[in-house]
Amino acid sequence: MSQLDREFYDRELRNFLPDRIFDAHAHLWHEDHVRPFDGWPKVGGLAEYSHDIHDLHGDREIAGLFIPLPEVNSADPVKAGEFVAEQIKGRPLCRGEYLIRPEDDPEQVRRQVRRLGLHGLKCYHVYSSHKPTWEADIPSYLPEPIVRMAHEEGLVITLHMVKRRAVADESNIHWIGHYCRTYPNMKLILAHSARGFQPAHNWEGLHRLKGLDNLYFDTSANCEAAAHVAIMKIIGHDKLMYGADWFVSHFRGRSLAAADSFIWLYEQTPVWGERHARVDPALVGLEHLRSLKWACWSAGLSDSQVEDIFWNNAAKLLGIKG
Ligand SMILES: [Zn+2]
């Protein structure tokens, strides 16, 4: 953390963040069973997470929903799940997810999730046979038999949907609605504030997903306040959960809505200017938290409603006591 990050935290976040923070979207991985994404450390265990997350959460207690890293060619779901389970062992404020691929046998997934004491599933478009995978329909990377099993087991599923227009896309709207209505005991979490890196998609599409009791959202790494506001206003703040998306949180830059889409600006992206006009990019996690602060303020949330987003909603969903 740089001096500028510390100043950002003091200026923007110190007086805003509640006393307790549940991080509903953080990754854990080890290079022995998954090749880390470009620029990620070789090992991301709970110790490394705890060290880094201090930059965003100060000295608050570690609590979160931990998710295996979904790398396309190298991830071993069983070992990745064992790693998550072992890292959060003996931590009653932590929960973990199990990585699934579309070809996985739901019964084997069920056995592993039970054996490891995990609470949810992580799917990802890179495992879809549809090419390009960022245009894949949801069932091609989250097949219905796995959703049925999640319903029977009462699991959450973290879904980073794809397609150009995200939650404004007809196919995404159809499958999210179908899965939520048909499998009410499965809890679906739409990551990155419904992947609304372009908030226009949230304002357009979320109306069609109202009234689904088992539909939730995590804010992970989305730096557009209007994306979170749309969820608060159209769906309700009680379905929204904060998530830092470590290790994404520790790159520098931000997501930026543009046209009918979005771009990611990273430290290396040549947009930050030079010398006296130079902008020093902040940690994504800090930009993200500030966007969530602005969203809470814009939506006129009370302090206790802010606490819901940072703790109570996730605690209720995941059965966290205390
Ligand atoms: Zn993530």
PDB file of all heavy atoms in Angstrom, residues 189-203:
ATOM      1  N   ILE A 189     -26.022 -15.814  -6.679  1.00  0.00           N
ATOM      2  CA  ILE A 189     -25.357 -14.523  -6.431  1.00  0.00           C
ATOM      3  C   ILE A 189     -24.788 -14.008  -7.751  1.00  0.00           C
ATOM      4  O   ILE A 189     -23.883 -14.622  -8.317  1.00  0.00           O
ATOM      5  CB  ILE A 189     -24.208 -14.664  -5.411  1.00  0.00           C
ATOM      6  CG1 ILE A 189     -24.693 -15.303  -4.097  1.00  0.00           C
ATOM      7  CG2 ILE A 189     -23.556 -13.306  -5.144  1.00  0.00           C
ATOM      8  CD1 ILE A 189     -23.556 -15.675  -3.140  1.00  0.00           C
ATOM      9  N   LEU A 190     -25.322 -12.904  -8.242  1.00  0.00           N
ATOM     10  CA  LEU A 190     -24.803 -12.313  -9.481  1.00  0.00           C
ATOM     11  C   LEU A 190     -23.607 -11.428  -9.137  1.00  0.00           C
ATOM     12  O   LEU A 190     -23.749 -10.381  -8.499  1.00  0.00           O
ATOM     13  CB  LEU A 190     -25.891 -11.510 -10.199  1.00  0.00           C
ATOM     14  CG  LEU A 190     -27.149 -12.290 -10.589  1.00  0.00           C
ATOM     15  CD1 LEU A 190     -28.109 -11.393 -11.371  1.00  0.00           C
ATOM     16  CD2 LEU A 190     -26.800 -13.542 -11.401  1.00  0.00           C
ATOM     17  N   ALA A 191     -22.430 -11.886  -9.538  1.00  0.00           N
ATOM     18  CA  ALA A 191     -21.185 -11.210  -9.170  1.00  0.00           C
ATOM     19  C   ALA A 191     -21.029  -9.885  -9.910  1.00  0.00           C
ATOM     20  O   ALA A 191     -21.639  -9.659 -10.960  1.00  0.00           O
ATOM     21  CB  ALA A 191     -19.996 -12.122  -9.474  1.00  0.00           C
ATOM     22  N   HIS A 192     -20.180  -9.032  -9.353  1.00  0.00           N
ATOM     23  CA  HIS A 192     -19.822  -7.732  -9.959  1.00  0.00           C
ATOM     24  C   HIS A 192     -21.065  -6.858 -10.164  1.00  0.00           C
ATOM     25  O   HIS A 192     -21.211  -6.228 -11.206  1.00  0.00           O
ATOM     26  CB  HIS A 192     -19.076  -7.941 -11.281  1.00  0.00           C
ATOM     27  CG  HIS A 192     -17.968  -8.949 -11.207  1.00  0.00           C
ATOM     28  ND1 HIS A 192     -16.879  -8.782 -10.386  1.00  0.00           N
ATOM     29  CD2 HIS A 192     -17.797 -10.153 -11.826  1.00  0.00           C
ATOM     30  CE1 HIS A 192     -16.069  -9.841 -10.518  1.00  0.00           C
ATOM     31  NE2 HIS A 192     -16.610 -10.687 -11.371  1.00  0.00           N
ATOM     32  N   SER A 193     -21.959  -6.855  -9.157  1.00  0.00           N
ATOM     33  CA  SER A 193     -23.223  -6.127  -9.298  1.00  0.00           C
ATOM     34  C   SER A 193     -23.881  -6.430 -10.640  1.00  0.00           C
ATOM     35  O   SER A 193     -24.096  -5.541 -11.485  1.00  0.00           O
ATOM     36  CB  SER A 193     -23.015  -4.613  -9.089  1.00  0.00           C
ATOM     37  OG  SER A 193     -22.941  -4.335  -7.705  1.00  0.00           O
ATOM     38  N   ALA A 194     -24.172  -7.732 -10.809  1.00  0.00           N
ATOM     39  CA  ALA A 194     -24.797  -8.251 -12.036  1.00  0.00           C
ATOM     40  C   ALA A 194     -23.916  -8.005 -13.268  1.00  0.00           C
ATOM     41  O   ALA A 194     -24.438  -7.816 -14.372  1.00  0.00           O
ATOM     42  CB  ALA A 194     -26.197  -7.673 -12.241  1.00  0.00           C
ATOM     43  N   ARG A 195     -22.605  -8.032 -13.032  1.00  0.00           N
ATOM     44  CA  ARG A 195     -21.628  -7.683 -14.068  1.00  0.00           C
ATOM     45  C   ARG A 195     -22.046  -6.381 -14.767  1.00  0.00           C
ATOM     46  O   ARG A 195     -21.856  -6.197 -15.963  1.00  0.00           O
ATOM     47  CB  ARG A 195     -21.407  -8.794 -15.093  1.00  0.00           C
ATOM     48  CG  ARG A 195     -19.979  -8.757 -15.645  1.00  0.00           C
ATOM     49  CD  ARG A 195     -19.857  -9.096 -17.123  1.00  0.00           C
ATOM     50  NE  ARG A 195     -20.476  -8.112 -18.000  1.00  0.00           N
ATOM     51  CZ  ARG A 195     -20.579  -8.248 -19.315  1.00  0.00           C
ATOM     52  NH1 ARG A 195     -20.131  -9.321 -19.909  1.00  0.00           N
ATOM     53  NH2 ARG A 195     -21.163  -7.312 -20.044  1.00  0.00           N
ATOM     54  N   GLY A 196     -22.560  -5.485 -13.969  1.00  0.00           N
ATOM     55  CA  GLY A 196     -23.013  -4.198 -14.500  1.00  0.00           C
ATOM     56  C   GLY A 196     -21.889  -3.190 -14.563  1.00  0.00           C
ATOM     57  O   GLY A 196     -22.047  -2.057 -14.108  1.00  0.00           O
ATOM     58  N   PHE A 197     -20.769  -3.597 -15.128  1.00  0.00           N
ATOM     59  CA  PHE A 197     -19.674  -2.633 -15.309  1.00  0.00           C
ATOM     60  C   PHE A 197     -20.157  -1.485 -16.196  1.00  0.00           C
ATOM     61  O   PHE A 197     -19.607  -0.396 -16.145  1.00  0.00           O
ATOM     62  CB  PHE A 197     -18.439  -3.319 -15.909  1.00  0.00           C
ATOM     63  CG  PHE A 197     -17.805  -4.343 -15.000  1.00  0.00           C
ATOM     64  CD1 PHE A 197     -17.655  -5.675 -15.394  1.00  0.00           C
ATOM     65  CD2 PHE A 197     -17.346  -3.991 -13.737  1.00  0.00           C
ATOM     66  CE1 PHE A 197     -17.074  -6.615 -14.561  1.00  0.00           C
ATOM     67  CE2 PHE A 197     -16.760  -4.924 -12.885  1.00  0.00           C
ATOM     68  CZ  PHE A 197     -16.616  -6.238 -13.302  1.00  0.00           C
ATOM     69  N   GLN A 198     -21.168  -1.759 -17.014  1.00  0.00           N
ATOM     70  CA  GLN A 198     -21.912  -0.696 -17.698  1.00  0.00           C
ATOM     71  C   GLN A 198     -23.270  -0.609 -16.980  1.00  0.00           C
ATOM     72  O   GLN A 198     -24.173  -1.419 -17.225  1.00  0.00           O
ATOM     73  CB  GLN A 198     -22.100  -1.044 -19.170  1.00  0.00           C
ATOM     74  CG  GLN A 198     -23.073  -0.113 -19.904  1.00  0.00           C
ATOM     75  CD  GLN A 198     -22.789   1.368 -19.681  1.00  0.00           C
ATOM     76  OE1 GLN A 198     -23.376   2.001 -18.800  1.00  0.00           O
ATOM     77  NE2 GLN A 198     -21.862   1.905 -20.471  1.00  0.00           N
ATOM     78  N   PRO A 199     -23.462   0.375 -16.104  1.00  0.00           N
ATOM     79  CA  PRO A 199     -24.696   0.429 -15.290  1.00  0.00           C
ATOM     80  C   PRO A 199     -25.973   0.507 -16.102  1.00  0.00           C
ATOM     81  O   PRO A 199     -27.044   0.117 -15.613  1.00  0.00           O
ATOM     82  CB  PRO A 199     -24.503   1.700 -14.454  1.00  0.00           C
ATOM     83  CG  PRO A 199     -23.028   1.931 -14.425  1.00  0.00           C
ATOM     84  CD  PRO A 199     -22.496   1.428 -15.732  1.00  0.00           C
ATOM     85  N   ALA A 200     -25.915   0.999 -17.328  1.00  0.00           N
ATOM     86  CA  ALA A 200     -27.118   1.081 -18.165  1.00  0.00           C
ATOM     87  C   ALA A 200     -27.783  -0.287 -18.283  1.00  0.00           C
ATOM     88  O   ALA A 200     -29.016  -0.391 -18.333  1.00  0.00           O
ATOM     89  CB  ALA A 200     -26.761   1.614 -19.556  1.00  0.00           C
ATOM     90  N   HIS A 201     -26.979  -1.344 -18.310  1.00  0.00           N
ATOM     91  CA  HIS A 201     -27.537  -2.691 -18.439  1.00  0.00           C
ATOM     92  C   HIS A 201     -28.345  -3.062 -17.191  1.00  0.00           C
ATOM     93  O   HIS A 201     -29.369  -3.734 -17.279  1.00  0.00           O
ATOM     94  CB  HIS A 201     -26.416  -3.707 -18.695  1.00  0.00           C
ATOM     95  CG  HIS A 201     -25.636  -3.419 -19.944  1.00  0.00           C
ATOM     96  ND1 HIS A 201     -24.324  -3.803 -20.116  1.00  0.00           N
ATOM     97  CD2 HIS A 201     -25.980  -2.756 -21.077  1.00  0.00           C
ATOM     98  CE1 HIS A 201     -23.898  -3.409 -21.306  1.00  0.00           C
ATOM     99  NE2 HIS A 201     -24.879  -2.760 -21.910  1.00  0.00           N
ATOM    100  N   ASN A 202     -27.888  -2.633 -16.020  1.00  0.00           N
ATOM    101  CA  ASN A 202     -28.638  -2.899 -14.792  1.00  0.00           C
ATOM    102  C   ASN A 202     -29.960  -2.135 -14.781  1.00  0.00           C
ATOM    103  O   ASN A 202     -31.008  -2.695 -14.450  1.00  0.00           O
ATOM    104  CB  ASN A 202     -27.811  -2.485 -13.566  1.00  0.00           C
ATOM    105  CG  ASN A 202     -26.748  -3.510 -13.221  1.00  0.00           C
ATOM    106  OD1 ASN A 202     -26.510  -4.447 -13.985  1.00  0.00           O
ATOM    107  ND2 ASN A 202     -26.092  -3.337 -12.090  1.00  0.00           N
ATOM    108  N   TRP A 203     -29.901  -0.853 -15.147  1.00  0.00           N
ATOM    109  CA  TRP A 203     -31.127  -0.041 -15.130  1.00  0.00           C
ATOM    110  C   TRP A 203     -32.141  -0.575 -16.129  1.00  0.00           C
ATOM    111  O   TRP A 203     -33.347  -0.469 -15.934  1.00  0.00           O
ATOM    112  CB  TRP A 203     -30.793   1.431 -15.421  1.00  0.00           C
ATOM    113  CG  TRP A 203     -30.052   2.079 -14.299  1.00  0.00           C
ATOM    114  CD1 TRP A 203     -28.696   2.312 -14.237  1.00  0.00           C
ATOM    115  CD2 TRP A 203     -30.583   2.537 -13.052  1.00  0.00           C
ATOM    116  NE1 TRP A 203     -28.370   2.898 -13.030  1.00  0.00           N
ATOM    117  CE2 TRP A 203     -29.504   3.051 -12.290  1.00  0.00           C
ATOM    118  CE3 TRP A 203     -31.865   2.567 -12.508  1.00  0.00           C
ATOM    119  CZ2 TRP A 203     -29.681   3.583 -11.008  1.00  0.00           C
ATOM    120  CZ3 TRP A 203     -32.036   3.111 -11.230  1.00  0.00           C
ATOM    121  CH2 TRP A 203     -30.947   3.606 -10.496  1.00  0.00           C
TER     122      TRP A 203
END
